[in-house]
């Protein structure tokens, strides 16, 4: 992944900010511009922040400062989130969480006048902060007061304050929450380009139309507009996506419904472009048509990026009774990725989708509610920001997009959201449909009535939580044998390793496997039915685990017992045959590992793939014949040292691309230096691959990526998410696949930064864009994204002279590819692209892991001592996406190899890169020095 802001800043904590070079500042500046809190700051102010800011990392549950403390620093959240707690007494244990600060929020302005902190700040999860000390912050404030007033909350920023002394909490908007954060001129131009393109390509679409004896002049039909837009570009993913794009123009008045309705519809309704409102508007000239044709791809791309927001707003403006099933699905999909709702059940999210409404406050300073007033709403910020102010004390915090407030009121009768009647109704409905089974007065299974009845008309229940034993019993009782599609059972066998080890599952399955000692027909039929269910579940379990079962004594013993044994052994052997070609790395495989000493000599040891740090150190000590206490250290090419823990599992797969493992006594730690070969190449390899076909390169990259992806076991994603130390399992196959992504990305950056000739660099950019296009054609999204993210690396993106020489056609291709990386709306652009692809697909794995981590960190694994099976279900759905990508075999004949395919194959599998970002940035500045 591209270098994060936190990594850029983390270079510097040991040194003073004054020691930072121009290159250092430039790295930080590039990343700060990606954080919303800083986007409105002018460049001189941003440069000052880059020069004086510090990086700070907090583990979960760390108190940054307490209410009443005298502050020394101002903060902005770079990643993670923090809870704001306020106490009315001197006892900090009485503090109540009034809101949560997310990415981009800023706090700590009380240092301007040395007033005590108004609240206690505690990290809700692992978080990264940017910190500016008081002296520097005051200096910035005095110099850039007007620019910073928009980010800081009152009394330092502008706000209309109330005068009622009884009001303790005031929530007000900080900046205008405009419907769109783009200039109207751009949308007006977009409307003109589309109109001209329609008149050029399909002039029959704009004409006078008659309906019910009335003539509507120069109109288009909604369905025809949607049809036309979908046909123009692959970046328009669905009809609803096109509806959102037209809605964007409708909101700005660039397109109008003939009866002034506010929502665009994919129906036989009439719409008119703004230019056609005037009867005297001339038709576009040939020159205007030509210009519009040139601008059309960029215009559609621009509308495709902002269209989903407009579609969501349009749906939320409808009254709940007018929302269609598709509307509710769009809202529900949005709610799935809102952190504020991470711990709310999916049933409640679906209910909320029907009652949420859209609210716009365009005027800065609008007071939304005061404490003491009867609460009616709970808010989630879609765009803009709000301040939370404690009367008489000052600002507590500023909230931004994705943050929520008023939720506390759902249980305390303070201000709250989606009206309180709606929320109470949802809670009552959910509770009424919930069944709790108890044993010895303790709950053991919680079920929720499904809104859809089965085909037999009986009531269906969904498992919400339960003990592992009761969940298993429930699935065996309710399993249907007349269908191969049992998603609930699939969820169980896929996620079972998280909450029930095989050593516990196998005896339970045997206990459920009945042996018939009676000859009554009824008893025999029942016994056979139960046996079939146990066998079916066990077969799915064996198929899901595949070769992992060989590494578990309990599983092997289970496979050998009578009853289900023969069937399971047959299933197991078939799985082995399928895996022979893939040859994944397994837990017990041995590897040869080089471990270096401080003098750069090394020992070669043989250890298991899953060897822990302790086992590696023990093997090294035996090889060296020493009794000294040694540390195991990962040393990066930049000299950064990471001491590995004794219980770290599979330490070999944690080594970076140019990283090395060192062992040394603690007193030699500071003397460790990187090996010369860790620096990477000093000359580019363009002369080797410039004559290779871009399509051949993309094909061989795809072939290699598919091999790596095919070896990743589904459970490795679980080990990665829940912590492989908890399972004592390797994630080596997944680590290699992720490492390949980083390697391809750095390959792009390395080749560009080692190319000293401007014209050659331009050719390189063209080559990489072509390779990326072919990777997308082969549905290899892993290398596609790696190449595009490499081109967006600061060391490459800053080469303005190189980019200026790139032909406009390639710039448009790159802009289209870059739009697929747009992280807004939880990477909606990428997700929509994937839904249109048929397998086999090589996915963008970092995003899937992010989804799983989001679900894991936002939801408890155990609730009241029972497994939170709803959490398991959501994570299983993400893993099923991986399964879908591999549901069809890769066809090696998608590209006919050229004569030099062996040379191309060898090249793409041994990419040499520089993985030190600072070194890459320095190389970039030698190519094109900073412009004064």
């Amino acid at each position: 992944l591209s270098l994060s802001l936190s990594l850029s800043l983390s270079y510097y904590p040991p040194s003073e900010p004054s020691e930072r070079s121009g290159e250092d500042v430039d790295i930080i500046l590039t990343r700060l511009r990606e954080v919303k809190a800083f986007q409105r700051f002018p460049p001189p102010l941003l440069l000052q922040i880059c020069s004086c800011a510090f990086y700070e990392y907090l583990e979960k549950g760390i108190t940054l400062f307490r209410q009443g403390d005298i502050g020394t620093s101002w903060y902005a959240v770079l990643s993670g989130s923090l809870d704001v707690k306020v106490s009315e007494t001197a006892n900090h244990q009485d503090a109540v969480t009034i809101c949560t600060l997310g990415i981009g929020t800023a706090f700590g302005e009380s240092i301007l006048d040395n007033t005590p902190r108004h609240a206690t700040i505690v990290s809700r999860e692992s978080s990264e902060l940017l910190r500016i000390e008081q002296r520097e912050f005051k200096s910035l404030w005095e110099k850039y007061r007007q620019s910073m007033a928009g980010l800081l909350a009152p009394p330092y920023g502008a706000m209309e304050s109330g005068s009622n002394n009884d009001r303790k909490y005031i929530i007000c908007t900080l900046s205008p929450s405009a419907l769109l954060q783009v200039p109207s001129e751009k949308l007006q131009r977009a409307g003109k380009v589309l109109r001209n393109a329609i008149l050029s390509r399909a002039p029959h679409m704009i004409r006078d139309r008659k309906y019910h004896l009335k003539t509507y002049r120069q109109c288009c039909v909604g369905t025809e507009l949607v049809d036309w837009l979908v046909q123009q570009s692959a970046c328009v993913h669905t009809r609803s996506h096109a509806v959102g794009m037209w809605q964007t123009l409708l909101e700005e008045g660039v397109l109008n419904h003939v009866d002034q309705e506010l929502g665009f519809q994919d129906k036989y309704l009439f719409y008119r472009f703004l230019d056609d409102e005037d009867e005297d508007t001339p038709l576009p000239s040939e020159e205007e048509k030509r210009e519009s044709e040139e601008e059309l791809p960029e215009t559609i791309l621009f509308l495709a990026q902002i269209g989903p927001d407009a579609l969501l707003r349009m749906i939320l403006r409808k009254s709940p009774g007018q929302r269609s099933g598709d509307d509710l699905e769009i809202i529900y999909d949005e709610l799935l990725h809102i952190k504020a709702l991470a711990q709310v059940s999916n049933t409640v999210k679906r209910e909320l989708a029907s009652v949420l409404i859209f609210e716009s406050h365009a005027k800065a300073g609008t007071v939304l509610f005061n404490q003491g007033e009867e609460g009616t709403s709970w808010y989630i910020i879609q765009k803009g920001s709000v301040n939370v102010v404690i009367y008489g004390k000052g600002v507590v915090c500023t909230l931004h997009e994705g943050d929520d407030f008023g939720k506390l009121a759902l249980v305390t009768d303070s201000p709250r959201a989606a009206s309180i009647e709606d929320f109470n109704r949802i809670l009552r409905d959910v509770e009424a449909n919930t069944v709790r089974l108890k044993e010895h007065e303790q709950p053991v299974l919680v079920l929720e009535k499904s809104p859809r009845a089965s085909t037999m008309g009986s009531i269906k229940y969904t498992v919400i939580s339960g003990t592992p034993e009761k969940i298993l019993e429930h699935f065996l009782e309710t399993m249907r044998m007349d269908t191969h599609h049992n998603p609930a059972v699939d969820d169980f066998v896929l996620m079972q390793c998280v909450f029930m080890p095989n050593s516990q599952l196998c005896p339970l399955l045997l206990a459920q496997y009945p042996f018939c000692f009676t000859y009554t027909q009824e008893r025999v039929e029942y016994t056979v039915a139960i046996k079939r269910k146990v066998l079916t579940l066990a077969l799915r379990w064996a198929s899901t685990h595949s070769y992992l079962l060989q590494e578990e004594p309990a599983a092997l013993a289970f496979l050998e017992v009578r009853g289900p044994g023969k069937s399971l052994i047959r299933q197991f052997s078939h799985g082995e045959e399928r895996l022979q070609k893939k040859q994944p790395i397994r837990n017990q495989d041995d590897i040869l590992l080089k471990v270096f000493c401080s003098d750069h000599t090394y020992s070669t040891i043989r250890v298991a793939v899953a060897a822990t740090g302790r086992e590696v150190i023990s093997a090294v000590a035996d090889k060296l014949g020493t009794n000294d206490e040694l540390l195991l250290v990962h040393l990066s090419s930049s000299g950064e040292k990471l001491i590995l823990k004794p219980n770290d599992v599979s330490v070999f797969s944690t080594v970076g691309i140019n990283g090395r493992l060192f062992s040394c006594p603690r007193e030699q730690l500071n003397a460790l230096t990187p090996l010369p070969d860790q620096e990477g190449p000093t000359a580019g390899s363009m002369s080797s691959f410039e004559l290779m076909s871009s399509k051949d390169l993309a094909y061989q990259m795809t072939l290699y990526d598919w091999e790596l992806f095919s070896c990743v076991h589904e459970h490795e994603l679980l080990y990665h998410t829940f912590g492989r130390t908890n399972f004592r399992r390797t994630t080596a196959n997944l680590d290699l696949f992720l490492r390949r992504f980083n390697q391809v990305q750095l390959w792009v950056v390395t080749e560009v930064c080692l190319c000293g000739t401007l014209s050659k660099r331009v050719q390189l950019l063209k080559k990489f864009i072509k390779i990326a296009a072919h990777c997308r054609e082969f549905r290899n999204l892993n290398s596609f994204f790696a190449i595009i993210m490499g081109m967006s690396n600061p060391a490459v993106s800053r080469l303005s002279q190189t980019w200026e020489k790139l032909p406009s056609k390639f710039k448009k291709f790159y802009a289209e590819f870059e739009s697929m990386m747009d992280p807004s709306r939880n990477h909606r652009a990428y997700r929509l692209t994937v839904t249109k692809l048929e397998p086999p697909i090589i996915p963008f794995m970092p995003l899937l892991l992010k989804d799983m981590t989001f679900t894991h960190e936002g939801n408890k694994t155990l609730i009241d001592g029972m497994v939170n099976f709803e959490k398991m279900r959501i994570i299983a759905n993400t893993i099923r996406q991986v399964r879908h990508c591999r549901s069809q075999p890769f066809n090696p004949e998608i590209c006919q190899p050229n004569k030099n395919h062996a040379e191309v194959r060898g090249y793409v599998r041994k990419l040499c890169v520089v993985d030190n970002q600072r070194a890459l940035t320095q190389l970039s500045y030698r190519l094109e020095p900073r412009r004064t």
Side-chain angles (χ1 to χ4, degrees), residues 733-751:
N733 300 292
L734 176 60
D735 293 337
L736 288 176
F737 185 50
L738 295 173
R739 174 177 164 148
R740 174 62 177 179
F741 179 91
N742 293 332
Q743 186 182 40
V744 172
Q745 180 181 224
L746 288 166
W747 169 58
V748 173
V749 186
T750 300
E751 292 298 331

Side-chain angles (χ1 to χ4, degrees), residues 135-179:
R135 185 184 61 172
E136 285 75 16
F137 189 76
K138 282 186 173 182
S139 174
L140 292 175
W141 173 251
E142 290 171 3
K143 191 172 181 180
Y144 298 102
R145 179 187 301 259
Q146 187 172 357
S147 299
M148 298 180 71
L151 178 62
L152 307 191
Y156 314 105
M159 177 197 121
E160 300 171 7
S161 60
S163 59
N164 187 342
N165 291 337
D166 294 331
R167 297 172 181 170
K168 293 187 178 178
Y169 305 109
I170 300 175
I171 301 196
C172 64
T173 56
L174 167 67
S175 60
S177 180
L179 293 180

Side-chain angles (χ1 to χ4, degrees), residues 126-226:
S126 297
S127 303
E128 296 171 296
L129 307 177
L130 180 139
R131 176 173 62 86
I132 301 178
E133 295 183 345
Q134 184 180 37
R135 185 184 61 172
E136 285 75 16
F137 189 76
K138 282 186 173 182
S139 174
L140 292 175
W141 173 251
E142 290 171 3
K143 191 172 181 180
Y144 298 102
R145 179 187 301 259
Q146 187 172 357
S147 299
M148 298 180 71
L151 178 62
L152 307 191
Y156 314 105
M159 177 197 121
E160 300 171 7
S161 60
S163 59
N164 187 342
N165 291 337
D166 294 331
R167 297 172 181 170
K168 293 187 178 178
Y169 305 109
I170 300 175
I171 301 196
C172 64
T173 56
L174 167 67
S175 60
S177 180
L179 293 180
L180 293 167
Q181 296 182 333
V182 292
S184 295
E185 294 79 11
K186 191 167 184 179
L187 282 168
Q188 287 174 0
R189 180 59 189 168
K192 188 178 291 290
V193 167
L194 292 178
R195 174 181 176 268
N196 291 348
I198 290 173
L199 289 171
S200 176
R201 298 183 177 190
H204 65 278
M205 287 176 55
I206 303 178
R207 66 179 190 269
D208 294 349
R209 299 178 186 266
K210 287 186 177 181
Y211 187 72
H212 284 200
L213 303 179
K214 184 176 180 180
T215 299
Y216 295 89
R217 193 182 52 77
Q218 293 298 96
C219 293
C220 306
V221 174
T223 51
E224 293 180 2
L225 287 173
V226 172

